[in-house]
Amino acid sequence: GKGIQIENNPTCLWNEIQLEKIIVKRLVSRESKHDYKPEINYLYFFHGDEKIEINIDDFDITDYQLSQVLKIFRSRYNNSGLI
């Protein structure tokens, strides 16, 4: 509820986080741009002046579920009067 924490790293507080969202990157082969392009999902946000991208494909949550959790907790923080 206070922010975003990944594994054992310190919590990034909501008041220090901006533009949190899920992004998808497609890997393009150097040999052929028409080959299969695997997609990698990332949690993307700014923490202070630092851009953070965390691969979320190995998490036990889908990209859609995580985006919904982000919306819920951001909304709760925004409505808590702690801004």
Side-chain angles (χ1 to χ4, degrees):
K2 295 180 182 180
I4 297 173
Q5 182 179 16
I6 306 299
E7 295 181 338
N8 295 327
N9 295 311
T11 301
C12 300
L13 301 176
W14 283 119
N15 64 341
E16 301 169 348
I17 297 171
Q18 296 178 29
L19 303 173
E20 67 277 356
K21 59 186 169 184
I22 305 301
I23 62 171
V24 177
K25 291 187 177 183
R26 290 174 182 80
L27 299 179
V28 179
S29 168
R30 291 183 183 193
E31 290 78 36
S32 172
K33 293 186 178 183
H34 302 290
D35 286 346
Y36 170 72
K37 299 177 179 96
E39 295 180 347
I40 301 173
N41 296 296
Y42 290 89
L43 168 57
Y44 171 95
F45 61 94
F46 284 91
H47 179 242
D49 293 333
E50 183 181 4
K51 179 174 73 171
I52 310 283
E53 288 183 11
I54 300 164
N55 182 335
I56 61 169
D57 286 337
D58 294 332
F59 289 1
D60 290 334
I61 189 170
T62 67
D63 56 331
Y64 176 77
Q65 290 169 328
L66 183 56
S67 69
Q68 296 306 304
V69 169
L70 288 171
K71 287 178 189 176
I72 289 166
F73 280 94
R74 171 55 83 179
S75 177
R76 286 182 185 172
Y77 171 76
N78 289 348
N79 293 326
S80 70
L82 296 175
I83 299 175

